[in-house]
Amino acid sequence: MSSVKRRKVDVSLGSAQSKDKKTVTKEPLPSVSSPEGSPAQDVPEAEKSATEGGEAIKTFKDLGIIDSLCDACTALGYKSPTPIQSESIPLALQGRDLIGLAETGSGKTAAFALPILQALLDKPQPLFGLVLAPTRELAYQISEAFEALGSLISVRCAVIVGGMEMVSQAIALGKKPHIVVATPGRLLDHLENTKGFSLRSLKYLVMDEADRLLDLDFGPILDKILKVLPRERRTYLFSATMSSKIESLQRASLKDPLRVSISSNKYQTVSTLLQSYLFIPHPQKDVYLVYLLNEFAGQSAIVFTRTVNETQRLAILLRTLGFGAIPLHGQLSQSARLGALNKFRAGSREILVATDVAARGLDIPSVDVVLNYDLPPDSKTYIHRVGRTARAGKSGHAISLVTQYDVEIWLRIEAALGEKQKEYDTEKDEVMVFKARVEEAQRHARNEMKNLHEDRGKKGSVLKGRRPASGGKRGRDEMDREEG
């Protein structure tokens, strides 16, 4: 889903158009019981052919979306439905629960936002829909999409995430927004502590990036949230993969759902992505990183690291050397995180140094290069990282730094991809030209990090492992789960 801005669309309201039901085939799943003791449902697989009457579906109107929302899509530059939208929207308009399996960047947000907005147009009411997301940035992105697509009816959205004041969020909830977009931990805080707030009238529930929600151990919190939601609702579950955890979640929360699967290979990358690696000694990682960034000077790049500490250190090191670098990780304040993303998107900073909080869900257009300074822990995360570039048919580069300690991880990634990657061509003499300047910048970065630890440590620095005691029940906040 591309990044969207709120835009007023002057169009008239209309009613939903009815569509003929699609035929489905049964796909049996293991017989298990939901936590509430109800029998498990087999999930039918929706037909993959995006055709209607033998003709290919080419417009949102063909899917059953009303004219006013079609005009909003046109104003936002959505020329034609993506595969996940073509398959999901007609079924959602029939009033069915859905499981959508598709990768990040496939247009999932519009796939669930348009049916919800169409239903809202038909029967307006506050607290109509709830969307649960694993990270704060994704929550804000989803809210922007809802507001842009629903600008014709001035849809009100409230974003409920950690790192922000509980009081201001409680006030926003008190104004009865149509759509609530939330991370699970902070939403549960409000359900338990904000007087007068409940979701008993909720009509739609969406769990976006559900596999990521469960990877972050939100399972027990989701169970508590599901218990206070009305049974008579429509539920959409979107995920990149279908694991046993996802099956358990869908059995506990969906009624007779239809499954739409778009991904043919969960480890597939786009053909326009050029992937390579550099096998280097571990002590020379910084030198090779600076060499690569110099090779791609003037292009936008995301540098992925494994830890918060390394993210901060590299950002300081690169800024010392004159690069426009800015850090992004889960232990920055929320305003700093949004500020970093906005500066990178706007082009005022050309390098984003980030942990895996930026690896999936976020739509950051026009990223030219992804550099894996640290290899990810698994192949799925690698796919999401390199998927930040070569989007929407554009080309892109992904280069991974592989040291003597990373060989086993890299071999697993190559095995998952099903092919050996090419080694990036370098001349060691050219790389070592940067050695002296990098060593000087390393000394400066070490001193800066030491000062940062000392200054913030007195106040409960997150970089020293202690948390500031503010803003709700922090033990459940998603910041504790986003990264190691």
Side-chain angles (χ1 to χ4, degrees), residues 12-72:
S12 58
L13 300 181
S15 60
Q17 300 174 358
S18 63
K19 300 294 291 182
D20 294 334
K21 291 187 178 181
K22 290 180 177 283
T23 59
V24 295
T25 57
K26 288 284 185 178
E27 179 184 281
L29 291 176
S31 178
V32 296
S33 296
S34 71
E36 297 179 2
S38 58
Q41 300 285 341
D42 285 343
V43 182
E45 181 89 17
E47 273 191 347
K48 297 303 180 295
S49 174
T51 62
E52 191 78 21
E55 295 182 3
I57 292 177
K58 296 181 180 179
T59 68
F60 287 97
K61 187 180 179 79
D62 292 331
L63 301 180
I65 298 299
I66 58 175
D67 291 340
S68 53
L69 289 177
C70 287
D71 290 342

Side-chain angles (χ1 to χ4, degrees), residues 386-402:
V386 301
R388 298 305 95 203
T389 186
R391 296 170 74 86
K394 298 178 182 178
S395 62
H397 287 80
I399 304 173
S400 301
L401 299 183
V402 182

Side-chain angles (χ1 to χ4, degrees), residues 217-237:
D217 296 328
F218 279 124
I221 297 176
L222 291 175
D223 290 341
K224 292 182 180 180
I225 292 173
L226 291 172
K227 287 179 181 178
V228 300
L229 299 183
R231 289 180 178 272
E232 295 301 318
R233 66 171 193 270
R234 296 273 64 82
T235 304
Y236 305 146
L237 188 153

Side-chain angles (χ1 to χ4, degrees), residues 198-341:
S198 78
L199 295 170
R200 287 190 293 269
S201 62
L202 190 76
K203 300 300 182 185
Y204 283 83
L205 168 66
V206 180
M207 288 176 278
D208 195 19
E209 302 283 0
D211 52 340
R212 182 68 172 151
L213 283 170
L214 296 176
D215 285 346
L216 295 172
D217 296 328
F218 279 124
I221 297 176
L222 291 175
D223 290 341
K224 292 182 180 180
I225 292 173
L226 291 172
K227 287 179 181 178
V228 300
L229 299 183
R231 289 180 178 272
E232 295 301 318
R233 66 171 193 270
R234 296 273 64 82
T235 304
Y236 305 146
L237 188 153
F238 284 85
S239 176
T241 58
M242 191 69 184
S243 64
S244 57
K245 287 184 178 180
I246 300 297
E247 288 183 2
S248 176
L249 179 60
Q250 66 93 2
R251 293 173 194 281
S253 57
L254 282 75
K255 290 183 179 180
D256 193 22
L258 291 175
R259 183 189 300 177
V260 175
S261 180
I262 300 302
S263 304
S264 58
N265 179 4
K266 66 179 179 179
Y267 295 118
Q268 188 174 19
T269 56
V270 296
S271 59
T272 54
L273 174 65
L274 302 176
Q275 300 176 78
S276 54
Y277 72 95
L278 268 170
F279 186 58
I280 60 174
H282 188 273
Q284 295 177 8
K285 286 179 74 174
D286 288 355
V287 180
Y288 275 88
L289 174 66
V290 171
Y291 167 79
L292 289 172
L293 290 173
N294 190 67
E295 285 286 291
F296 291 97
Q299 300 186 51
S300 60
I302 300 180
V303 179
F304 280 107
T305 64
R306 187 172 294 138
T307 66
V308 169
N309 200 75
E310 198 74 323
T311 302
Q312 289 284 157
R313 185 190 71 82
L314 279 181
I316 295 170
L317 182 144
L318 294 175
R319 285 200 296 260
T320 303
L321 292 169
F323 292 98
I326 192 166
L328 175 65
H329 54 75
Q331 294 180 356
L332 290 171
S333 68
Q334 188 56 38
S335 59
R337 290 166 69 168
L338 292 175
L341 270 178

Side-chain angles (χ1 to χ4, degrees), residues 17 29 61 103 127 158 181 183 188 230 240 281 316 325 345 352 365 379 383 400-401 424 442 445:
Q17 300 174 358
L29 291 176
K61 187 180 179 79
E103 297 294 344
L127 297 175
V181 188
T183 48
L188 185 58
I316 295 170
R345 281 175 172 148
L352 184 70
S379 303
I383 296 297
S400 301
L401 299 183
Y424 189 81
Q442 285 173 329

